[in-house]
Amino acid sequence: MAEEGAVPGVENLKLQDGEQNPPEEETEDQLITPWEVTSGSQKGVNYDKLIAQFGSTKIEQDLIDRIVRVTGKPAHHLLTRGMIFSHRDVNLILDAYEKGKPFFLYTGRGPSSEAMHVGHLIPFMITKWLQDIFDVPLVIQLTDDEKFLWKDLTAEEARRLASENAKDIIALGFDVDKTFIFSDMDYIGSSPDFYRTMLKIQKCVTFNQVKGIFGFGDSTCIGKISFPSIQAAPSFSSSFPQIFGGRKDIQCLIPCAIDQDPYFRMTRDVAPRLGFPKPALLHTTFLPALQGAMTKMSASDAVSSLYLTDTNGQIKKKINKYAFSGGQATVEEHRRLGGNVDVDVSYMYLTFFMEDDDKLQQIREDYSSGKMLTGELKKELIGILQKVVSEHIERRKKVTDETVKEFMTPRKLKYNY
Ligand code: TRP
């Protein structure tokens, strides 16, 4: 869930010292960094290509079967439908879990705007499911420091947004006894152990390395240059003595959108040198923008986004007006040729939010054959998203400042190891 849109300093990502412009045929290629997502295709990001490029492992059916077997719980539809598509070392987590060895979950959010959108829900829905099936502690990092450094935001405003976003996250139903949410600005200053873990990471990574991984350059501010150590630190249990009682060997599993992988490649690289276990990862795909899967939904682009604060009327209007359609120009043509689900954004959204597999399959067939029209497909989606958003609004209303404080207080969590 990296931030979106133009980011100061990010121009460095495109052309580094000594690097040349890419050859012509590659200019429309996909570009996935923590700051930018463009796919160059109406079908969206080519995730197989990304797996090859990043060197992660594709999730195959046998891994899904193993998760189901080990936990005794059904697989989430985002896993069976390929939205959790890649991983690193999840087998090791399952090996350990089977032997009764502990692990914890770590995820995060960069609080850059008051309004979160439905795409931001995806990694948190998955994290919630993982916490439920494995019954393990969870830490959630709110990188208000990152957004202060990268965006046109004051430190105070970034900190305020962290608490606002915490309410949305809490509204997903995380267990307060097992979940610690922290703002970097608050927690790092109060935790010598977190800071010491950060320092150890900083000592292992050179400027040359972060230049290579993140595209930083000579004119990048030094806050950004050291930030990767801050996102890496929660991967190690030594950062949370109040939770893990000073143990440094507890394995970590990080569910995140694939654009965050560069941070954790760096983390996995330094872990053995510090004597810590490498964090395991589960990668998720992006929710496409309303206008088409060439890019992901972005909070800074009102037209591409469905916000968690939108009214039923706004949801209906935006989907009807903007959702890129794979349908044909006229009803007659559509009946004859059918719609193209591979580029149809409303259909793509249904794969994220419609839980009923049989119903989704029926829609796929009917839309592809031309039996179902675009308007009918959109109507299905509008109903589902109106429900998702209005229920979220109701649950968020119940999250008080007191509840936020409870989640954000450093404390012992409940777990069985
Ligand atoms: N950098 C992420 C963002 O901009 C926030 C983040 C911090 C995060 N730690 C994480 C995301 C761990 C996933 C996993 O949104």
Side-chain angles (χ1 to χ4, degrees):
M1 296 191 302
E3 217 18 78
E4 37 285 298
V7 176
V10 129
E11 60 277 12
N12 299 325
L13 270 173
K14 290 184 193 143
L15 211 60
Q16 295 162 33
D17 299 338
E19 226 179 55
Q20 294 186 352
N21 270 318
E24 206 53 42
E25 64 272 22
E26 279 182 30
T27 47
E28 286 197 50
D29 219 353
Q30 55 185 22
L31 177 66
I32 314 294
T33 74
W35 303 281
E36 191 170 351
V37 173
T38 28
S39 79
S41 158
Q42 212 54 260
K43 292 183 183 174
V45 174
N46 180 335
Y47 289 102
D48 283 334
K49 208 164 146 191
L50 213 51
I51 287 175
Q53 189 188 333
F54 284 5
S56 60
T57 307
K58 187 173 178 151
I59 294 183
E60 307 282 1
Q61 189 59 39
D62 58 346
L63 184 71
I64 301 177
D65 292 343
R66 186 162 180 222
I67 293 173
V68 169
R69 202 166 56 239
V70 165
T71 62
K73 305 270 165 52
H76 198 281
H77 68 273
L78 291 170
L79 183 60
T80 54
R81 294 183 195 159
M83 277 77 106
I84 312 176
F85 72 104
S86 144
H87 78 104
R88 296 183 190 274
D89 282 350
V90 166
N91 272 310
L92 296 183
I93 292 276
L94 295 174
D95 289 346
Y97 183 78
E98 275 185 318
K99 291 185 193 123
K101 270 181 69 182
F103 77 93
F104 71 102
L105 292 163
Y106 157 42
T107 192
R109 147 108 192 126
S112 61
S113 62
E114 186 115 21
M116 285 172 62
H117 59 62
V118 292
H120 292 135
L121 288 178
I122 307 297
F124 287 105
M125 281 160 57
I126 291 162
T127 305
K128 161 91 174 93
W129 171 69
L130 290 168
Q131 182 178 57
D132 288 347
I133 63 166
F134 287 107
D135 190 27
V136 286
L138 159 68
V139 296
I140 301 177
Q141 178 179 47
L142 301 174
T143 51
D144 40 13
D145 50 353
E146 175 190 16
K147 296 304 155 187
F148 165 67
L149 289 166
W150 261 272
K151 296 263 160 176
D152 188 15
L153 276 181
T154 63
E156 291 68 27
E157 180 64 357
R159 175 63 190 84
R160 188 184 71 80
L161 293 175
S163 286
E164 285 306 306
N165 287 183
K167 288 185 188 163
D168 286 290
I169 294 169
I170 292 166
L172 270 103
F174 291 103
D175 181 346
V176 68
D177 291 331
K178 299 192 175 100
T179 308
F180 174 44
I181 304 179
F182 63 99
S183 128
D184 283 345
M185 286 191 198
D186 285 10
Y187 183 61
I188 296 173
S190 74
S191 170
D193 295 272
F194 192 100
Y195 187 55
R196 230 175 277 149
T197 306
M198 258 174 67
L199 279 175
K200 290 178 188 174
I201 299 162
Q202 289 177 355
K203 199 170 178 175
C204 288
V205 184
T206 66
F207 182 39
N208 235 337
Q209 285 168 318
V210 287
K211 253 187 186 168
I213 302 171
F214 300 98
F216 298 149
D218 288 347
S219 50
T220 306
C221 77
I222 60 173
K224 290 184 186 176
I225 294 165
S226 61
F227 176 75
S229 69
I230 301 180
Q231 183 152 335
S235 316
F236 303 131
S237 60
S238 61
S239 296
F240 307 101
Q242 70 282 6
I243 302 175
F244 303 110
R247 282 185 66 175
K248 298 179 172 58
D249 61 338
I250 302 191
Q251 261 271 355
C252 175
L253 172 62
I254 308 172
C256 64
I258 185 74
D259 61 338
Q260 298 298 301
D261 189 66
Y263 287 107
F264 302 118
R265 287 205 292 273
M266 184 198 85
T267 311
R268 288 169 53 84
D269 193 49
V270 302
R273 281 184 278 162
L274 300 177
F276 297 146
K278 287 184 183 184
L281 291 157
L282 275 174
H283 296 127
T284 66
T285 62
F286 306 108
L287 189 74
L290 269 172
Q291 301 92 323
M294 306 279 280
T295 186
K296 65 170 179 167
M297 193 176 275
S298 158
S300 47
D301 181 359
V303 172
S304 80
S305 289
L306 294 163
Y307 295 103
L308 293 174
T309 48
D310 281 350
T311 60
N312 284 348
Q314 283 169 318
I315 292 171
K316 181 171 173 191
K317 198 169 144 202
K318 283 195 213 175
I319 291 172
N320 279 333
K321 193 160 168 198
Y322 299 118
F324 186 82
S325 169
Q328 305 298 337
T330 63
V331 171
E332 199 191 34
E333 259 180 67
H334 189 87
R335 294 278 186 229
R336 191 157 48 86
L337 301 169
N340 181 0
V341 291
D342 291 337
V343 299
D344 194 291
V345 168
S346 302
Y347 178 77
M348 290 181 203
Y349 286 4
L350 280 180
T351 65
F352 281 87
F353 293 103
M354 177 176 262
E355 289 179 24
D356 185 335
D357 285 331
D358 296 337
K359 191 158 180 205
L360 184 68
Q361 182 56 28
Q362 193 61 51
I363 288 175
R364 187 186 175 93
E365 284 167 23
D366 292 349
Y367 191 61
S368 304
S369 72
K371 191 171 161 202
M372 183 180 222
L373 299 172
T374 298
E376 293 162 339
L377 175 76
K378 288 192 171 187
K379 195 162 170 238
E380 280 289 344
L381 176 68
I382 290 164
I384 287 181
L385 284 179
Q386 285 175 336
K387 186 158 179 285
V388 167
V389 173
S390 61
E391 286 178 1
H392 179 84
I393 291 172
E394 281 314 303
R395 285 194 309 267
R396 192 186 192 277
K397 272 191 205 152
K398 298 198 186 100
V399 181
T400 62
D401 291 339
E402 202 42 52
T403 317
V404 174
K405 207 171 141 197
E406 234 182 291
F407 273 92
M408 298 188 71
T409 301
R411 65 208 189 280
K412 201 165 167 39
L413 298 180
K414 275 198 198 129
Y415 52 87
N416 307 320
Y417 44 87

